Amino acid sequence: MTEKSGLCLSGGGVKGFAHIGVLKALEENNITFDAVSGNSAGSLVGAAYALGYSSDEILEFCKNQKLTDILGYSSISKKYADVKQGENAVNMIKNFNPAINSEIIENFLLALIGDKGFDDMKIPFYCVAVNLKDGREIVFEDGELGKCCRASCSIPGVFTPVEYNDMILVDGMVSNNMPADVLKNRGIDKVLSVNLKKYSTVGKNSTKYLDILTTTIDIMAKRSFEQGLANSNLVISPMLDIKSSFNITNDMVDNLYNIGYNEAVKNMDKITALFSKN
């Protein structure tokens, strides 16, 4: 019996554009998979891949969007402007929630996939989130695809949590940022994982609010790779030691894409040896 292979795409915020470059290199070498899992940014790219979109289609879509608003930069800027200029600034500050409405993530994905869902997948797709009500990791393989990926991307403190099926959901990186184990637990024999956080610098000498938030997230995310690493047959880790940014440009997208592509090409002999079906 032929062994089944799976692709696992980790979370990594804006670094997720590197996943698209990895997909391009895999396509050029006719490397295909029987299932895909992803968390956070990896869930968005993974969902599109499992639906049959090519790397070129995903990249073109991303570059045709107003990329700054993928992370809602203008909306969070407006929040602060409203607080400063509002007639009742005291009340506004009292009720102010700095988190960005995570609906923007769902709308971004739906702009690409339309009304397609789990039933339209060419291969099985799984994404993960964490339920704040009980701390459980939730694996999605059916339901509302846009909402499930939105939950997987809802970084605590950055995006608002998602209320869905009597759960309050946040980014799966709280417990499992590279869900290769999800594939192994569903009968996949070999997993290729893409780790976007290996070279991330953790720690910052600052007491500013946003620095504290992003550093805490980085520490948490980096420590939630253990299950993924243990369940991966091969891990490729693009050198992405860049600072997160709300100001996403096409040049940044191209740079991240190229880093992902080049890392996959560099490891293609190993990838082909393990995952080629020819």
Side-chain angles (χ1 to χ4, degrees):
M1 183 182 290
T2 304
E3 287 187 312
K4 290 184 177 181
S5 62
L7 176 65
C8 176
L9 304 176
S10 83
V14 297
K15 298 173 184 178
F17 293 108
H19 284 317
I20 308 173
V22 172
L23 293 184
K24 180 66 173 178
L26 295 171
E27 290 167 355
E28 289 179 345
N29 289 272
N30 299 311
I31 304 295
T32 60
F33 298 91
D34 299 295
V36 60
S37 67
N39 179 58
S40 203
S43 76
L44 298 177
V45 178
Y49 173 75
L51 283 167
Y53 289 92
S54 70
S55 59
D56 288 344
E57 289 172 321
I58 300 169
L59 181 64
E60 181 181 6
F61 167 77
C62 290
K63 294 180 74 171
N64 284 334
Q65 304 307 299
K66 189 177 179 183
L67 292 173
T68 297
D69 273 352
I70 294 173
L71 290 182
Y73 176 78
S74 63
S75 63
I76 198 169
S77 298
K78 184 177 183 303
K79 281 187 178 184
Y80 282 105
D82 287 345
V83 168
K84 288 170 67 178
Q85 298 172 14
E87 291 181 12
N88 196 348
V90 172
N91 284 338
M92 292 185 73
I93 291 171
K94 202 168 156 184
N95 299 311
F96 182 62
N97 180 359
I100 302 164
N101 189 340
S102 59
E103 188 176 4
I104 200 166
I105 302 167
E106 184 174 353
N107 292 339
F108 173 73
L109 180 61
L110 295 181
L112 171 63
I113 68 172
D115 60 359
K116 294 176 183 174
F118 283 96
D119 290 340
D120 300 296
M121 297 292 177
K122 309 298 183 187
I123 57 174
F125 166 71
Y126 312 97
C127 64
V128 297
V130 169
N131 183 7
L132 291 182
K133 285 190 173 183
D134 55 19
R136 286 186 304 125
E137 178 182 320
I138 307 298
V139 179
F140 289 111
E141 51 191 297
D142 54 29
E144 297 178 46
L145 180 58
K147 206 168 291 293
C148 294
C149 290
R150 168 185 170 187
S152 184
C153 293
S154 292
I155 303 168
V158 177
F159 291 105
T160 55
V162 178
E163 296 186 46
Y164 180 58
N165 286 351
D166 199 34
M167 297 181 286
I168 300 174
L169 300 161
V170 295
D171 195 312
M173 65 93 178
V174 172
S175 67
N176 191 358
N177 208 15
M178 194 169 71
D181 60 303
V182 170
L183 294 172
K184 287 288 182 75
N185 291 340
R186 284 160 177 76
I188 297 299
D189 301 293
K190 299 180 296 185
V191 177
L192 170 64
S193 293
V194 185
N195 180 356
L196 301 183
K197 301 292 283 185
K198 180 175 181 179
Y199 297 105
S200 297
T201 301
V202 173
K204 191 174 289 186
N205 185 19
S206 171
T207 56
K208 294 179 181 177
Y209 169 77
L210 285 178
D211 288 340
I212 293 170
L213 178 62
T214 56
T215 301
T216 301
I217 290 166
D218 283 342
I219 293 169
M220 189 174 6
K222 206 158 189 190
R223 289 180 178 173
S224 66
F225 275 88
E226 290 182 10
Q227 291 183 81
L229 292 170
N231 285 277
S232 299
N233 297 80
L234 179 64
V235 180
I236 63 172
S237 305
M239 176 70 81
L240 296 167
D241 189 14
I242 64 165
K243 301 301 179 187
S244 295
S245 173
F246 285 104
N247 187 24
I248 307 171
T249 65
N250 279 347
D251 285 345
M252 177 188 291
V253 173
D254 286 335
N255 181 46
L256 292 166
Y257 171 91
N258 288 330
I259 292 172
Y261 176 84
N262 291 333
E263 185 66 23
V265 169
K266 186 174 77 175
N267 286 277
M268 194 52 65
D269 286 346
K270 294 177 185 176
I271 295 171
T272 301
L274 272 172
F275 299 99
S276 177
K277 295 178 180 177
N278 297 330

